[in-house]
Amino acid sequence: MSQDNRLLPSLPVERGLDRPLSDLVQPKSYGASMTEPAHLREYLTIVLKRKWLILSLVLVVTTLVTIQMYRTPSVFEAAATIDIEPKRDNPLASGKAGVIINTGRTMTDPTYVNTQLRLLENPALARQVIRTLDLENNPAFFGGQAQGGLLSSFRRIFSGEKKTPAQQSVELKNESVPVVPSNEVGNDALSPDELARLEPYEDTLAGGLRVEPIIGTNLVTLHYQHTSPELAQQIVNTLADAFIYNNFDREQGSTAHNMEMLGNRIAELQQAIRKEQEQIVNYAIANNIPVDEKPGNNLPAVRLATLSNQLLEAENNRKNLEALYLAALKEPDSNSVPEMQDNKRMQELRNKLDDLKQKREEMLVTYTPEWPAVKRLDAQIEPLEALLKKAPSEVLAAMRSRYESAKAKEESLRRSYNQQMGVTTEQNRSNIQLTVYKQELATNQQEYDTLRQRQRDLENSLTGGQQNNITVTNRARVPHEPVGPARTRTIILAFFLSLGIGIGLAFLLDYLDDTLKSVDDVDRYLHLPSLALIPASRAERPRLIGKRPPLPAEGEPSTALALTSDVRSASAEAYRHLRTSLLLSSAGQPPKTILVTSSQPSEGKTTTAVNTAIMLAQTGAQVLIVDCDLRRPRVHTNFGISNARGLTNYLSGERDLDTLVQTYEKLPNLKIMSSGPIPPNPAELLGSTEMRRLLDALSERFTHIVIDSPPAISFTDASILSTLVDGVMLVVHSGRSSRAIVRRAKQQLVDVGANIFGVVLNNVRLDAPDYYYSGYYSSYYAQQDYDEEPEASASESAVGRSG
């Protein structure tokens, strides 16, 4: 089923009887929209439905923000730049205990930078500026920031920026003002009452001040905002002057203090150096230590070194002699010992012996061994051989003698060395202590020289004039253009913010709204066909809750009848669609007995029943409308007839239907049976056998019987009657009936076996975005001039005659 057919399900019915009747009566499926994805058009519909709420919220919020923005005076910003150079080193920057160290900082030191920035935001500095400029007695300091009136705001909106009287009254010159010394505005100089009185001024000044260091430089920019441009300029310049003055004052005080401490420290060092020098001399004399540390003056050390060298030589000599002697003793052949071979006496004996033997051999060639000459040679050879045999023992004895002599010398030198070693060790111990004394003397002497140099530098700086490391590089000028407030941006932001909130509120209200407002809601939540959409009457106006609408004047149609009095109206056309839907709601033949009910009171069921009966009667069929609402009957008031006798009379025993049924003069084939006197037990009467007999009897006389009943939720009357009729038509007030209540009413009817034809969505605002074809009826009838009500369609007449 298309969306248009769901909105007006009877439209295709009147134009095509060639289609199957089952397709025209029942939709193919209900609740299909539950599976359809949400489209942008649906979101747009939600927004357009509550467009007046959104527009009102946007208009109110934007207007209030605009007025507030233009009530707020313009803010001007003045800026001054100061240069904070690296601070020179403090002459007392030493690590000696007992000295106060105040090391100089540089702009690269984050501690120094942060300290200077915090000093610029110090309340004491703000207090100093307040006292310097006498802001306590300046009405422009606070008065210029007060909001103007509503009239001045509108003037500012349309005429542009103008100076306020408070701004015009400020006449400050761009000249330096003598700064009030910081000691006159300190916590000790002012009483608690004065400090408390100055706190609002300090907070206001601090609130408008912004300190901004320029990265990569020694420059710091001071920004100050105020509604008076002249006062903003004067405050920021005075703030820079006061900061520089305080820094210079601190430097001068620190210099004098440092000079005093420097002189005291130098005097202490001089006295300490003299004492340490005397201590070193006395100690050296007492311990026989040469004061002069030149080479050769330390005799014990020289003597120890000489003995050490001699001992090493004697030890080496003894080891060599010992090795030679032991090797000679172990050698079997004495002559093979190197000492034997190198002995000159033994060499001479061997040479002589060799010569004599050689001569003897030569003579033996000629002579015999008995030859006198040979015998003389033998006599010479024999003593030489005896001496040669005796020589090795003599050499060994000599080697042993030299070894023992070397050993004795070594022991003597070792004893001398050990004795001198004890003397030198004692002297070294004394030298260690003496070295400590000398190191202390050197440290104090070095510190003394450093402080003396710094004292001379400090004296030179005082003599040549001390310079401040903080200076003003760019003084503030009077600002001509305001920097705030950002009126246009704030107004635009308020506009879009309120628009977003309004749209969000629209979606929230739509989410929280659980009423049935459209055919889609009926399909989605009730799973019932929509028989028709009854538009809201343009004559209706909002009224107080609980107040009944006024009765129609004499000669005028009632409220219910007025809906269809104009045959060209959207309401009349809607009821004709309802008539067609009812006639085609049952297969085979149109329904005869139709029960009209609702879930709760004031949903328009009586009006729907009355106009449905009129539309059915306009087809030429005999129609009877029965008022079965025995608790609050309203049918007779709509037709302007008497309710003295009616349904309750018949159920009480009166059987003359002709006297109980009344005729509507403007439509003779429409009959009316009012409720009659209100009984004490309506449910028992409607559920009696007499009621069933009455409906059977009336069904033989009338083509259609329309029954008005009480609401289904409040009473059981509708449930009882639903079992006696062909079907039930459930009236739902669009935008008022809760889904849960309507579902409960439907469930009550289904539980008793009622046949529900469908839902009539009553009081629908067709001008809402949900129904984009709201001008269908008016535009269609505007093209044709009808002087009388259109006749029923051929399909309706055919169906009516078949009934």
Side-chain angles (χ1 to χ4, degrees):
M1 182 181 291
S2 65
Q3 185 177 3
D4 293 344
N5 292 340
R6 289 199 308 270
L7 294 175
L8 291 175
S10 61
L11 280 175
V13 174
E14 294 188 356
R15 298 182 182 271
L17 291 176
D18 55 337
R19 297 174 58 189
L21 189 60
S22 59
D23 292 345
L24 296 174
V25 175
Q26 296 290 344
K28 292 182 180 180
S29 62
Y30 294 99
S33 59
M34 296 178 64
T35 60
E36 295 180 0
H39 298 286
L40 180 61
R41 182 174 58 190
E42 298 180 10
Y43 298 137
L44 182 61
T45 300
I46 296 174
V47 174
L48 294 178
K49 188 186 303 181
R50 293 180 172 84
K51 59 180 178 297
W52 295 115
L53 172 64
I54 299 174
L55 293 178
S56 300
L57 181 62
V58 171
L59 180 62
V60 170
V61 173
T62 306
T63 302
L64 292 177
V65 171
T66 302
I67 295 174
Q68 179 63 25
M69 283 294 99
Y70 281 94
R71 287 188 66 194
T72 304
S74 299
V75 177
F76 297 86
E77 181 178 271
T81 305
I82 61 176
D83 183 10
I84 305 179
E85 293 294 337
K87 188 177 179 182
R88 65 182 60 188
D89 291 337
N90 191 288
L92 295 182
S94 64
K96 186 66 177 177
V99 178
I100 300 177
I101 300 176
N102 186 15
T103 306
R105 305 290 184 178
T106 63
M107 287 298 288
T108 57
D109 187 356
T111 304
Y112 179 73
V113 174
N114 293 333
T115 300
Q116 299 303 316
L117 296 181
R118 292 300 178 269
L119 288 176
L120 285 169
E121 299 174 352
N122 191 6
L125 181 61
R127 192 184 311 135
Q128 192 174 1
V129 174
I130 292 168
R131 280 299 182 89
T132 301
L133 296 177
D134 195 20
L135 297 179
E136 300 173 86
N137 301 319
N138 192 339
F141 185 67
F142 280 142
Q145 295 178 332
Q147 294 182 345
L150 188 61
L151 182 59
S152 62
S153 302
F154 283 106
R155 287 179 181 174
R156 194 178 294 113
I157 292 174
F158 298 105
S159 62
E161 189 66 34
K162 292 183 179 180
K163 286 188 178 182
T164 62
Q167 294 173 348
Q168 295 174 356
S169 63
V170 178
E171 296 181 358
L172 298 175
K173 298 180 180 180
N174 187 16
E175 297 179 357
S176 299
V177 181
V179 178
V180 176
S182 58
N183 55 3
E184 296 183 9
V185 294
N187 294 337
D188 298 334
L190 299 178
S191 64
D193 294 338
E194 290 176 330
L195 292 175
R197 189 179 70 254
L198 291 175
E199 283 184 1
Y201 296 89
E202 298 173 12
D203 296 339
T204 303
L205 194 146
L209 177 65
R210 187 174 83 256
V211 180
E212 185 178 88
I214 301 177
I215 305 301
T217 66
N218 296 332
L219 302 178
V220 176
T221 305
L222 306 179
H223 303 269
Y224 186 75
Q225 295 182 354
H226 197 273
T227 55
S228 170
E230 295 84 358
L231 193 57
Q233 177 216 19
Q234 193 73 2
I235 288 176
V236 74
N237 285 334
T238 306
L239 184 70
D241 294 339
F243 180 70
I244 295 173
Y245 175 84
N246 293 342
N247 182 75
F248 187 75
D249 187 52
R250 285 194 302 270
E251 289 295 329
Q252 283 186 333
S254 176
T255 301
H257 181 68
N258 291 340
M259 283 289 294
E260 181 181 0
M261 295 186 63
L262 191 61
N264 296 334
R265 181 57 186 166
I266 290 176
E268 292 177 0
L269 289 175
Q270 289 176 343
Q271 185 177 2
I273 289 173
R274 284 195 297 269
K275 290 182 179 180
E276 289 173 354
Q277 289 175 345
E278 294 176 0
Q279 184 180 18
I280 290 174
V281 172
N282 295 334
Y283 187 83
I285 295 174
N287 292 276
N288 196 21
I289 300 175
V291 179
D292 191 1
E293 294 182 356
K294 292 181 179 180
N297 291 344
N298 193 351
L299 295 178
V302 173
R303 188 178 295 113
L304 180 65
T306 302
L307 290 175
S308 176
N309 294 332
Q310 293 177 354
L311 178 62
L312 290 176
E313 292 177 0
E315 185 177 1
N316 292 332
N317 186 32
R318 188 266 305 169
K319 289 181 180 179
N320 292 332
L321 294 175
E322 182 180 9
L324 293 174
Y325 176 70
L326 294 177
L329 291 178
K330 294 179 181 179
E331 186 65 32
D333 186 6
S334 309
N335 294 322
S336 62
V337 177
E339 290 288 336
M340 301 296 183
Q341 295 178 359
D342 295 337
N343 191 273
K344 293 181 178 181
R345 183 171 179 274
M346 291 184 68
Q347 289 178 358
E348 292 176 354
L349 291 175
R350 288 192 189 97
N351 292 333
K352 289 180 178 182
L353 185 60
D354 291 338
D355 291 341
L356 293 176
K357 286 183 177 181
Q358 183 177 3
K359 290 179 179 182
R360 183 177 180 273
E361 291 294 334
E362 291 176 355
M363 293 181 71
L364 287 178
V365 173
T366 306
Y367 302 101
T368 62
E370 298 299 332
W371 181 256
V374 174
K375 286 187 177 289
R376 286 195 299 269
L377 289 174
D378 291 336
Q380 293 177 357
I381 290 172
E382 184 176 356
L384 289 177
E385 288 179 350
L387 290 175
L388 189 62
K389 291 180 180 179
K390 186 179 178 182
S393 61
E394 293 178 354
V395 173
L396 287 177
M399 293 177 63
R400 179 178 180 181
S401 177
R402 289 196 300 272
Y403 161 68
E404 290 178 350
S405 176
K407 184 177 181 181
K409 183 179 180 180
E410 178 187 2
E411 291 177 355
S412 176
L413 288 174
R414 189 176 300 280
R415 286 192 297 270
S416 299
Y417 176 80
N418 292 335
Q419 182 179 0
Q420 187 62 35
M421 187 66 180
V423 175
T424 305
T425 302
E426 186 65 26
Q427 187 182 29
N428 289 338
R429 292 174 183 172
S430 301
N431 282 332
I432 293 174
Q433 184 63 36
L434 184 63
T435 303
V436 174
Y437 293 152
K438 290 181 179 181
Q439 289 177 351
E440 292 181 357
L441 176 62
T443 302
N444 289 336
Q445 187 66 43
Q446 184 180 4
E447 182 181 359
Y448 173 79
D449 296 338
T450 302
L451 293 183
R452 282 291 297 163
Q453 181 62 38
R454 292 179 179 177
Q455 186 182 36
R456 287 190 292 269
D457 294 340
L458 191 58
E459 290 174 352
N460 293 333
S461 65
L462 291 176
T463 304
Q466 188 176 8
Q467 295 181 353
N468 198 344
N469 67 315
I470 301 178
T471 57
V472 177
T473 60
N474 186 17
R475 299 186 68 83
R477 295 183 295 178
V478 177
H480 300 288
E481 296 296 332
V483 296
R487 295 190 176 98
T488 304
R489 183 179 62 184
T490 305
I491 293 172
I492 294 175
L493 181 62
F495 172 79
F496 285 105
L497 184 61
S498 59
L499 179 62
I501 293 176
I503 294 175
L505 183 60
F507 279 96
L508 178 62
L509 293 177
D510 185 78
Y511 175 77
L512 297 177
D513 186 8
D514 67 340
T515 59
L516 299 171
K517 300 178 290 297
S518 63
V519 174
D520 289 336
D521 293 341
V522 174
D523 291 346
R524 184 181 298 113
Y525 301 109
L526 299 182
H527 306 292
L528 291 174
S530 298
L531 300 178
L533 304 179
I534 309 301
S537 175
R538 295 181 180 271
E540 293 185 356
R541 293 290 185 270
R543 61 178 184 271
L544 297 178
I545 298 177
K547 184 177 180 180
R548 296 182 180 180
L551 295 176
E554 185 177 355
E556 295 181 358
S558 66
T559 303
L561 300 180
L563 295 177
T564 57
S565 59
D566 183 5
V567 296
R568 302 183 186 183
S569 65
S571 300
E573 188 64 26
Y575 280 111
R576 282 194 285 272
H577 286 309
L578 175 59
R579 174 185 64 191
T580 304
S581 299
L582 282 175
L583 294 177
L584 299 178
S585 61
S586 301
Q589 62 179 1
K592 183 176 289 292
T593 54
I594 304 168
L595 178 67
V596 182
T597 186
S598 62
S599 60
Q600 54 189 347
S602 302
E603 293 197 68
K605 60 178 181 55
T606 300
T607 301
T608 303
V610 169
N611 286 283
T612 301
I614 292 175
M615 289 300 164
L616 290 173
Q618 288 178 355
T619 62
Q622 296 295 321
V623 180
L624 173 66
I625 178 171
V626 182
D627 191 355
C628 290
D629 190 351
L630 303 184
R631 303 174 188 274
R632 189 181 175 186
R634 286 292 182 270
V635 173
H636 65 281
T637 59
N638 286 277
F639 287 100
I641 61 177
S642 173
N643 192 32
R645 302 175 69 249
L647 176 62
T648 55
N649 298 97
Y650 181 87
L651 297 178
S652 299
E654 187 175 347
R655 294 293 182 267
D656 188 3
L657 290 177
D658 295 332
T659 59
L660 299 178
V661 175
Q662 304 181 52
T663 302
Y664 182 47
E665 296 179 356
K666 295 183 179 181
L667 200 59
N669 57 334
L670 174 61
K671 307 299 180 180
I672 305 162
M673 177 179 284
S674 63
S675 64
I678 298 177
N681 52 349
E684 286 75 4
L685 291 178
L686 295 176
S688 62
T689 307
E690 298 297 329
M691 185 65 192
R692 186 180 297 275
R693 292 176 181 174
L694 173 62
L695 291 179
D696 292 340
L698 294 176
S699 298
E700 296 176 358
R701 300 176 59 177
F702 296 96
T703 306
H704 303 288
I705 301 173
V706 180
I707 301 174
D708 183 23
S709 68
I713 290 294
S714 305
F715 310 101
T716 61
D717 301 9
S719 300
I720 295 173
L721 293 173
S722 65
T723 61
L724 307 178
V725 297
D726 294 339
V728 180
M729 186 169 60
L730 188 61
V731 179
V732 175
H733 192 293
S734 175
R736 180 187 297 176
S737 301
S738 173
R739 303 167 189 167
I741 295 177
V742 177
R743 279 199 298 262
R744 182 181 172 188
K746 171 200 169 185
Q747 191 61 39
Q748 286 184 358
L749 297 174
V750 172
D751 290 344
V752 297
N755 177 28
I756 302 177
F757 293 143
V759 175
V760 177
L761 203 57
N762 191 27
N763 201 32
V764 177
R765 292 180 62 250
L766 293 181
D767 57 344
D770 307 66
Y771 308 102
Y772 51 87
Y773 54 87
S774 59
Y776 166 74
Y777 301 108
S778 58
S779 61
Y780 179 79
Y781 282 114
Q783 298 174 4
Q784 302 183 32
D785 186 13
Y786 284 86
D787 296 333
E788 59 185 18
E789 179 183 359
E791 296 181 358
S793 63
S795 62
E796 294 175 350
S797 300
V799 174
R801 287 192 297 272
S802 65

